[in-house]
Amino acid sequence: MEGNSFLRRLFLISAVASVVLLTLIALPTKPNPPKNPLLHHPAAIKNDHAGDVPHHPLDPLTVQEMDRAHGAIKAFFAGKAYGVHSLVLEEPDKEAVRRWRRGQPLPLRKASVIARAARTNYVLTVGLEGGEVTQHDAAHISGYPMLTLEEMESVMYAPFSNADFNRTILSRGVDLADVACLPFSPGWFGEAENGRRLVKLECFTIKDTANFYMRPIEGVIVVTDVDTNQVVEIVEKGNHIPIPKAEGTDYRLDVANGAVIKLKSPVSIEQPNGPNFVIEEEHLVKWANWEFHLKPDPRAGVVISLAKVRDPETGAMRDVMYQGFSSELFVPYMDPEEAWYFKTYMDAGEYGFGLHALPLEPLNDCPRNAKYMDAVFAASDGTPYVRSNMICLFERYAGDAAWRHTENPFTGQMIREARPKISLVARMVASLANYDYVVDWEFHADGLINVKVSLTGIVIVKGTNYVNMNQVNEDGAELYGTLLSDNIVGVVHDHYINFYLDMDVDGSDNSFLNVHLQRAYTNGKSPRKSFMKVNKTVAKTEKDAQIKLKLTDPSEFHVINPNKKSRVGNPAGYKVVPAGTAASLLDPTDAPQMRNAFTNNQIWVTPYNRSERWSGGLFAYQSHGEDTLQVWSDRDRPIENKDIVLWYTLGFHHVPCQEDYPIMPTVSSGFDLKPVNFFLRNPVLRIAPYVESELPVCKTPASA
């Protein structure tokens, strides 16, 4: 059913395929794949959204609009076989969106389409009124669009149609009925790989555990052409490596893993009178002093647009951010051996961050007081389907204070004042094979936006002969990771998430201000020898705003509106406040680093350009690195007092440890977008705290 995880779906399909093919080992034929349960399970869908209509220029395509686009696409290809890799709204010009007011006619609605036919990429615009199709030149861009779910399902059958593969698996002592092969992107490592859209399938045994990631058939890689489902090459480098045991790897609660710990008194946030936010016309969210447009996207996951905050002094809604979303994810594994070197994944551009954001599970993914938003996405033939409960919205309160102070009796009276830290969270969770990414956009009443990414799921592991570190060389370098259990190595890797942040602070024309903190000396003019001094520099061009964070050379980074100043003369601004992050240690000329050059810096600023949205390139799959944020930024265009985009790269180094086995605890980091000289004074002054009599009284069933 729709709520099942993608991993469970892959598990089931692979198991079914291998059972059937066990009796057809050498034959090229294969059974017809079952219908994708994510695309074809209406019984699991609460709302088919067939009657939805757009209300806002940025509203996603409706079911009816996708149906019209689908008809135009079919007519364009005129009977030729084709696949749709992306079908989304082609957003109107930014100025048209900014000028639009509720009640006015919507700008002309168009669909943006990325498709493939006859091994060729197509970028199309479809007019949704008349059905006209415009083709755009994409021949100069290397790479391919992201894989469709249907392609991933279909290619999983390919190994079992190959007699050499079947013999290889049987020679490892594994029953074909117990094998699941998962498709992974191959990266790009030179001209020899051009001309074919490939996947590299890695295989596992699914016997005796749901956590098949802990049971790799190490060293077996099946290189397959996605367009033909033909096996191109079989790599077999691990026939001497045993398959790790299943014991102790299963993560299901109903499987014996020792005594279960369950807190006797449940903890839950209850709002019997309903939430304090409203969702108007499907996508416009209003809460406290905030409003913003919220929509799902198959590539980015969640898109926040037109974020505005109310000025407590004037009551006016003021612009903060035109649009923000996850632009790309880069996950390179640090093992150079043949079965691992290619594992340098671009999860948004190769797989689709939103495509793999599966239905959220109430109480586990989101608290009891959450409300949910569905997505309408396109299948590979262009027909629409509904992804239920893809985004959740909820208010968060953990007893923290947005501000507090107690004044002692120096004033002649005891003063105790506090304001509660209540926030609104928009959340999605993407399950990309073994890893799960939780992305939170959190809005605070003091004008702050916190963006947090949490990593959890399962560490993908490498099979090894070793069962104890006393068998390994003293430095352990040959492992490329940590020995986690018998015959299991957790390989060192990184995670980078790049965010597109089109800041419009009090309007579109903004500047980037580097507030550099430096040591200064008093030169004998004070008992103090040294102090910290602030030097402010406005970036003139893009290269001035290519920033590598350094603890020993600190700065604050502000996006300001030089045309809007406060009563005391400071420009209105917002600053990006990094939390823990990481920088890539790969060589800049290494192919994976060139393709993901957004990790060369943590902060970038570019002039707004509607074609520059995906920091790893429009076609990330097997791309060569010529259509990236680094390439755009190196043009060194003017950015002072312009419509600018700030890009922030959040990073994690991950050296696995035993506590990551067999499941990985959640690790989080993020950044803040914080007002700086934006308000006349702190907005939380006007946030009233609750008193005991205003709170709901919860009773146990026995006392109710």
Side-chain angles (χ1 to χ4, degrees), residues 304-372:
I304 306 288
S305 302
L306 296 169
K308 302 172 185 285
V309 66
R310 180 175 293 105
D311 190 304
E313 311 299 329
T314 66
M317 299 301 296
R318 297 173 63 186
D319 296 334
V320 174
M321 182 175 71
Y322 180 76
Q323 201 161 71
F325 55 83
S326 306
S327 180
E328 190 54 86
L329 290 85
F330 176 39
V331 187
Y333 284 80
M334 304 302 170
D335 186 331
E337 294 184 348
E338 187 164 3
W340 279 79
Y341 76 89
F342 64 89
K343 296 183 179 182
T344 54
Y345 307 124
M346 300 172 72
D347 284 337
E350 293 177 337
Y351 300 106
F353 208 32
L355 280 183
H356 294 267
L358 303 186
L360 296 166
E361 186 72 23
L363 300 185
N364 290 325
D365 290 323
C366 307
R368 192 170 182 175
N369 63 326
K371 303 297 180 184
Y372 295 86

Side-chain angles (χ1 to χ4, degrees), residues 373-391:
M373 181 180 290
D374 298 343
V376 177
F377 290 156
S380 64
D381 63 356
T383 57
Y385 67 93
V386 176
R387 178 69 49 78
S388 297
N389 290 6
M390 179 181 151
I391 300 171

Side-chain angles (χ1 to χ4, degrees), residues 318-570:
R318 297 173 63 186
D319 296 334
V320 174
M321 182 175 71
Y322 180 76
Q323 201 161 71
F325 55 83
S326 306
S327 180
E328 190 54 86
L329 290 85
F330 176 39
V331 187
Y333 284 80
M334 304 302 170
D335 186 331
E337 294 184 348
E338 187 164 3
W340 279 79
Y341 76 89
F342 64 89
K343 296 183 179 182
T344 54
Y345 307 124
M346 300 172 72
D347 284 337
E350 293 177 337
Y351 300 106
F353 208 32
L355 280 183
H356 294 267
L358 303 186
L360 296 166
E361 186 72 23
L363 300 185
N364 290 325
D365 290 323
C366 307
R368 192 170 182 175
N369 63 326
K371 303 297 180 184
Y372 295 86
M373 181 180 290
D374 298 343
V376 177
F377 290 156
S380 64
D381 63 356
T383 57
Y385 67 93
V386 176
R387 178 69 49 78
S388 297
N389 290 6
M390 179 181 151
I391 300 171
C392 71
L393 276 164
F394 60 92
E395 290 170 283
R396 173 183 281 158
Y397 177 57
D400 297 326
W403 170 83
R404 74 160 321 280
H405 182 64
T406 299
E407 189 55 71
N408 63 29
F410 291 152
T411 60
Q413 57 180 327
M414 182 66 73
I415 301 174
R416 294 187 181 94
E417 282 284 324
R419 306 291 187 269
K421 188 174 185 176
I422 301 172
S423 60
L424 177 69
V425 178
R427 170 177 293 172
M428 61 148 271
V429 180
S431 296
L432 289 141
N434 55 301
Y435 262 105
D436 294 55
Y437 294 86
V438 184
V439 180
D440 287 351
W441 288 81
E442 186 170 8
F443 295 81
H444 295 256
D446 61 0
L448 180 142
I449 304 173
N450 172 257
V451 183
K452 183 173 73 171
V453 178
S454 300
L455 280 58
T456 185
I458 300 166
V459 174
I460 199 163
V461 300
K462 179 180 181 178
T464 179
N465 285 316
Y466 301 125
V467 297
N468 193 284
M469 285 301 295
N470 61 18
Q471 301 170 295
V472 185
N473 291 339
E474 189 171 332
D475 63 0
E478 63 190 88
L479 291 179
Y480 305 110
T482 306
L483 188 65
L484 302 180
S485 186
D486 295 359
N487 308 119
I488 290 177
V489 172
V491 176
V492 174
H493 58 281
D494 288 342
H495 301 260
Y496 299 100
I497 305 96
N498 179 256
F499 285 88
Y500 172 102
L501 304 164
D502 182 2
M503 304 298 293
D504 277 9
V505 179
D506 267 341
S508 294
D509 291 341
N510 288 177
S511 295
F512 181 70
L513 182 67
N514 187 333
V515 182
H516 191 201
L517 308 178
Q518 295 175 297
R519 182 191 300 152
Y521 291 91
T522 62
N523 298 320
K525 296 178 181 178
S526 167
R528 287 272 296 274
K529 184 176 182 179
S530 61
F531 63 101
M532 188 174 69
K533 176 179 158 182
V534 174
N535 288 320
K536 298 180 180 181
T537 305
V538 174
K540 303 294 184 183
T541 64
E542 291 174 276
K543 288 188 178 179
D544 295 337
Q546 294 179 356
I547 304 295
K548 290 179 171 65
L549 298 178
K550 300 176 184 177
L551 280 176
T552 56
D553 189 20
S555 287
E556 288 190 357
F557 305 102
H558 299 187
V559 176
I560 62 169
N561 188 327
N563 313 299
K564 298 290 178 69
K565 296 188 177 180
S566 70
R567 189 180 64 198
V568 297
N570 293 314

Side-chain angles (χ1 to χ4, degrees), residues 220-235:
V220 176
I221 300 295
V222 186
V223 185
T224 304
D225 186 315
V226 183
D227 290 321
T228 64
N229 278 352
Q230 295 299 307
V231 173
V232 174
E233 180 186 5
I234 297 174
V235 176

